[in-house]
Amino acid sequence: MTDRGAVNGRLEAVIALRVRGPAGVEVEVSAVVDTGYTGSLTLPAAVTSSLGLEQRSGGRAVLADGSVRRFDTYAAEVLWGGSWVGVVASALGDETLLGMALVAGRGLWVEAVPGGLVELRPL
């Protein structure tokens, strides 16, 4: 199954994702594909709260700009390739980021112009 999205005005590749918490609450988020992020998913704290996600652990991360930030991790599910998949979601910042751990095993196609097509296809 191919996941599709679009390039936004800041030239970021964006994919819509459905995320589910332990009580079955679901939200749709717009996730920026971040090829420099090796984890699965980051969510804003407001989203982790609205889904009722329980904190699993925490730590510190060095971001691309060199700053060090504290983060918490949560167990969540993502509708991915037509099936619900368990992921570790980090709460860090105000953006939702889709990391390479979820992209793994898929081809990524990006038409790098505003409004351009973004596709993730199974390899």
Side-chain angles (χ1 to χ4, degrees), residues 54-106:
E54 296 178 18
Q55 182 182 347
R56 300 290 185 207
S57 64
R60 294 187 186 274
V62 179
L63 304 184
D65 66 1
S67 65
V68 177
R69 302 269 305 271
R70 186 188 175 298
F71 68 94
D72 295 319
T73 60
Y74 301 83
E77 292 182 307
V78 175
L79 187 58
W80 193 242
S83 301
W84 288 102
V85 175
V87 297
V88 174
S90 300
L92 181 66
D94 295 328
E95 274 191 302
T96 300
L97 301 175
L98 173 63
M100 293 304 288
L102 267 177
V103 175
R106 295 175 178 263

Side-chain angles (χ1 to χ4, degrees), residues 31-51:
V32 174
V33 179
D34 185 347
T35 60
Y37 171 45
T38 59
S40 295
L41 184 67
T42 65
L43 296 169
V47 174
T48 63
S49 178
S50 70
L51 290 170

